[in-house]
Amino acid sequence: GVGLSVHGHFRVATEKTLFAMPETAIGKYFNRLSCGGYFLPRLSGKIGYYLALTGFRLKGRDVLKAGIATHFVESEKLPALEKDLIALKSPSTENIADLLNSYHVK
């Protein structure tokens, strides 16, 4: 899932999120554009290299802090967020961003 979802414009994490790419710990890069070999080195600082070399797992807010998630929403609010996303009359990038920002917990 990470290889596909990491390229999305919006990526929501919750306190239950677990980011893991264990294949990186054994040097597996199945597709440069979708797997860790593309996006991990592009994370800020050296966190991407660390994740690539160790296969370390990130949880919850750390996914946001690492720059993998774009928003952090409490898991209990996900049903309401989903309902509000579906109810958007014109789901433009700006409207979605505004809605996600209203649920985002800093």
Side-chain angles (χ1 to χ4, degrees):
V2 170
L4 294 174
S5 62
V6 75
H7 300 290
H9 193 76
F10 303 109
R11 299 173 305 277
V12 177
T14 73
E15 71 279 2
K16 297 179 181 180
T17 297
L18 175 64
F19 171 85
M21 292 188 68
E23 66 274 14
T24 60
I26 58 172
K28 289 281 190 184
Y29 296 97
F30 297 106
N31 180 331
R32 180 165 157 67
L33 293 178
S34 67
C35 290
Y38 179 78
F39 77 89
L40 288 174
R42 288 166 173 75
L43 295 176
S44 64
K46 303 291 183 189
I47 188 72
Y49 292 103
Y50 176 76
L51 295 172
L53 291 170
T54 65
F56 188 81
R57 296 176 180 195
L58 298 176
K59 297 178 184 177
R61 290 186 187 274
D62 292 335
V63 179
L64 177 68
K65 290 177 186 173
I68 298 164
T70 58
H71 295 82
F72 184 88
V73 176
E74 295 169 344
S75 61
E76 64 186 26
K77 295 183 180 179
L78 287 179
L81 172 59
E82 182 179 5
K83 183 180 176 183
D84 288 346
L85 283 168
I86 291 169
L88 284 175
K89 299 283 186 211
S90 55
S92 66
T93 302
E94 293 81 19
N95 290 344
I96 294 169
D98 289 343
L99 182 59
L100 287 172
N101 288 337
S102 73
Y103 279 87
H104 178 70
V105 178
K106 294 185 180 189

